[in-house]
Amino acid sequence: MKYLFLLYDDENAWDSMPEEKRNEIFGSYFAYSDALKKSGAYIGGAPLVHSREAKRIQNDQVQDGPFADGKEQLGGYYMIEADNLDDALEWAARCPCASIGHVEVRPVWNIGG
């Protein structure tokens, strides 16, 4: 089954973080991605640019971001393959974002069979 990990963190804290600390966190993400790939669970993933760069279409109008009122914003995602939800949750708990923000785990609906 496929699972989508939505990674949320405080973008403003990230922006103000010293570059050395950001590089350390990037290294953790690279190691995590490598572990997913080596296990065969990795399908895809990517970081997102700051939400201030986002656009939203609503009622045929283009609106500039950010859109959420909370401190934490969607900052990236992973798509993985796992045998069950428990396995997916184990992978999510290992994600670096789980210790600096939070990871939302969503099963992907298999519409096409």
Side-chain angles (χ1 to χ4, degrees), residues 2 4 7-8 34-36 38 65-66 76 78 81 84 105-106:
K2 291 181 179 140
L4 182 65
L7 313 180
Y8 292 88
D34 286 345
L36 282 169
K38 286 177 184 172
Y78 282 99
E81 182 78 34
N84 53 54
V105 178
R106 304 273 304 265

Side-chain angles (χ1 to χ4, degrees), residues 8-79:
Y8 292 88
D9 63 9
D10 184 340
E11 295 175 307
N12 294 323
W14 179 261
D15 285 347
S16 64
M17 188 180 295
E19 186 174 353
E20 286 180 11
K21 181 65 176 169
R22 282 196 309 261
N23 288 338
E24 179 183 319
I25 294 170
F26 277 134
S28 297
Y29 276 104
F30 293 143
Y32 177 71
S33 296
D34 286 345
L36 282 169
K37 290 173 185 175
K38 286 177 184 172
S39 76
Y42 182 86
I43 295 173
L48 302 175
V49 299
H50 198 288
S51 63
R52 67 178 160 254
E53 302 295 324
K55 303 289 185 206
R56 174 170 64 187
I57 306 295
Q58 186 173 12
N59 299 322
D60 296 323
Q61 300 292 317
V62 177
Q63 301 170 340
D64 293 331
F67 305 106
D69 293 330
K71 282 176 54 176
E72 293 184 337
Q73 300 288 331
L74 179 61
Y77 71 94
Y78 282 99
M79 175 84 70

